[in-house]
Amino acid sequence: MNDGVQTDSASVDIAMADIGRLEDVVDREALRDVCRSFFELFSLSVRVFSASGALLADVHEDQPIHAYLRQFARGRQALAQTVAEVTKADVRGRAPQRRVELTGAVYDIVPLDYQGRAVGRIVIGPYLPAEVREVPRQLLKLDPNIDPERVRDLLAQMPRVRKSTAERIVAHLTGILKLLLFSSHRAHLTSEMHLASVRENYRELAEKNAKLQAAYDRLKELDRLKSNFLATVSHELRTPLTSIIGYSEMLESGIAGELNAEQLEFVQTIHAKGDQLLALITSLLDLSKLEQGVMSIRSETIDPRALVDDIARTFAPAARKKGIELRTRVDEELPPIEGDPIRLKQVLSNLAENALKFTPAGGQVFFEAHAADFEEESDTEMGAVFFSSPRPAVAFVVRDTGIGMPAAELDKIFDAFYQVDGSSTREHGGTGLGLSIVKRLVDAHGGRIEVSSEIGKGTTFRVLIPSPE
Amino acid sequence: MQIDFKSRELTVKLVYYGPALSGKTTNLQAIHRLVSNETAGRLMTLETRDDRTLFFDLLPLTFNSGGGIQVRFKLFTVPGQVIHNATRRLVLQGADGTAFIADSQTSETRANREAFLNMQQNLRDNGIEPETHPVVIQFNKRDLPNIRSDAELDRMATRSKEPIYKAVALRGEGVIDTFLGLTDLTWRRLEAKHSLQEKFGLDPDEFLRDVRRRLGLGDGGTP
Ligand SMILES: Nc1nc2c(ncn2[C@@H]2O[C@H](COP(=O)(O)OP(=O)(O)OP(=O)(O)O)[C@@H](O)[C@H]2O)c(=O)[nH]1
Ligand SMILES: [Mg+2]
């Protein structure tokens, strides 16, 4: 890369697909052949220079007039000067230029541009424009010893071309050289791309392998930790807890002798709190599984109606006991959805439990399933036109006419251990883990959970499960 | 963008991205057909099999702007077929702007989406931040049945961060508009990044007007 070039990317060569130097791309043999065939057709000398001034092709015939004139000092000088001018002429991005030597013969200097960049130049000549008939007077006056007859004879041997013909010939040659350049460039790029894509594919594979290995190692480690953790928790925590619950149950049942009312109440409290603790531990286990991504979500066809009916049946006794009316509604036409029936039931049960818990006697709780649109929430706003096109979905709705929640709390209820206020835990029980697990389960289904609520009016949870694409 | 101070030359790289068969190559062919030979060079097609791009197509456009600055645009297409991802990533290297050519047919919705995500990933892998990278979206093949409706696209366009164009590339419709939209977005971003006006005296509005004129459009009209 030369000094003046500033680039954004490292490997500009392929990135911009530019040819570097003409001499690196073009096949010199082919270039010379083209020039030679021109020479043979039109008897015109052709030279091709690269942008850096390297002579890449040179097909010319020595002109006898030049040999004659070089015998004279001023002739030598004048000819050399024209040659120097021709080689140095700056034609970058400009129109063709012409230089006239002392014989009246001309050189045409034509810039060679490729893809908007000057890559070199073609020099045609010397030739005598057919329009020039006279021998230039200053040529004859160049030296007292010049023989005008001789000059006339030798000049006649110089190729003669009409101006318009010369222009056509030059245009044609330029066209052919550009074509030659184009196919060389293409061949060059093709082989570079072959190499580069093989390299890139290899790199990608190697990277993927490394990642897979790392992921595998991590999973193995995680698996070990997880089994350890699960084993510890279930064994070290659950075993004594089961004993506590078991013994308090036995005490309650009077196996160890009659208890007085106060003793019975204490034991029942121990029993209830033990159950609560067990539920909490189970929830924590679920949560940790979800967070590690180790909870498996099965993918089966879900029958929304069966699911809603199942929930309604499960909660009917509790609702009756509390004096709450249960209602279900399921749309006739629902898009097909897939998921894990056990987990979805866990989601809806959790919401149903809450609904019943926070709805006073005489209230209503609705279990519904509707057809709905699912709009993906992408983390960037890029490409919204591709991502926010709605997908069909089923919306499971659990709605109650209970005490409701303040709007400010709605964002937080899915956080682990969050409860609207501490008092509700005391009043209504629960660990505050339920909704965070619900949300993670819904996420694991590629779905979304939404909540709306009004104090004193009730709360609505909406679980959207999108149709598979 | 490549800046060569010595020869006062700017080279801008624009990439036509999108799912397989969405019409990327057809876009370049149409531009080549519609733009004068003075501005557009020969269209180079590198390796195809059954008309599917394997490496890329390349169309060079050159604008001699005032002040003796040579501005070169290089338009590339990527191979859309999923398996050619390594090549796609290579071609996207150093891109200054991207035209995402989507297939309007509803059956291609998923392919469009995946190609778009793939573009974002490959931009990132090339060290280009997708969020600030100039992108326009073209919905091509508007002539076919079973496409996303005009109404839907118009509605989406109001919410879309990327300018949205509709096209029938096969007939050249919407192709120049898409290109100009991309040029506009890209040039303004490059101006902000490289202060081209300050360095080269290139006024962005004037330059973009010049580009429109060279593409045979008036100062603001459509073809
Ligand atoms: N009907 C219709 N067909 C189109 C249109 N544009 C392109 N096509 C056709 O779609 C097919 C694929 O077009 P290409 O331009 O080769 O697609 P591409 O995006 O370059 O495909 P890859 O190189 O495989 O990535 C061709 O048969 C085109 O003729 C259009 O506007 N309308
Ligand atoms: Mg193609």
Side-chain angles (χ1 to χ4, degrees), chain B residues 20-26 52-53 79-80 140-141 143-144 168-170:
Chain B
L21 295 178
S22 67
K24 301 175 289 296
T25 300
T26 311
R52 315 289 294 269
T53 306
N140 187 29
K141 307 195 185 179
D143 56 326
L144 294 181
V168 184
L170 208 50

Side-chain angles (χ1 to χ4, degrees), chain A residues 198-374:
Chain A
V198 166
R199 233 183 358 244
E200 187 66 11
N201 270 316
Y202 176 79
R203 193 187 64 76
E204 193 176 63
L205 263 178
E207 209 168 81
K208 260 189 202 153
N209 278 343
K211 264 194 204 142
L212 272 175
Q213 186 63 47
Y216 175 75
D217 292 347
R218 202 179 54 100
L219 270 180
K220 247 182 22 189
E221 175 65 11
L222 257 182
D223 205 49
R224 202 181 56 78
L225 286 176
K226 185 197 74 190
S227 329
N228 263 349
F229 174 71
L230 293 183
T232 308
V233 170
S234 46
H235 190 77
E236 305 293 328
L237 287 177
R238 281 211 253 205
T239 314
L241 196 53
T242 337
S243 302
I244 293 171
I245 293 170
Y247 282 107
S248 55
E249 250 170 1
M250 287 193 279
L251 281 176
E252 256 181 275
S253 67
I255 282 183
E258 278 309 304
L259 302 178
N260 64 33
E262 203 174 6
Q263 286 169 333
L264 185 63
E265 197 195 320
F266 288 177
V267 170
Q268 277 169 344
T269 307
I270 292 172
H271 185 186
K273 294 297 168 191
D275 277 343
Q276 210 175 316
L277 195 53
L278 189 60
L280 174 60
I281 289 167
T282 311
S283 295
L284 274 172
L285 279 174
D286 274 357
L287 192 65
S288 78
K289 279 196 218 164
L290 279 167
E291 272 177 347
Q292 291 170 26
V294 291
M295 177 173 279
S296 56
I297 297 289
R298 288 193 310 187
S299 189
E300 302 173 7
T301 306
I302 300 289
D303 179 352
R305 173 175 301 278
L307 189 56
V308 167
D309 288 347
D310 190 9
I311 294 292
R313 245 194 327 277
T314 310
F315 286 89
R320 226 181 351 261
K321 206 163 128 196
K322 209 177 161 187
I324 292 171
E325 185 188 358
L326 275 194
R327 290 211 189 161
T328 65
R329 216 187 88 201
V330 177
D331 282 3
E332 283 299 321
E333 293 278 327
L334 288 174
I337 55 167
E338 287 176 5
D340 188 327
I342 309 249
R343 298 300 178 191
L344 283 180
K345 185 172 176 196
Q346 194 181 340
V347 165
L348 295 184
S349 300
N350 209 305
L351 297 177
E353 226 168 83
N354 278 338
L356 287 172
K357 201 188 306 176
F358 294 109
T359 304
Q364 293 172 311
V365 170
F366 302 83
F367 300 134
E368 302 169 354
H370 305 294
D373 281 341
F374 184 81

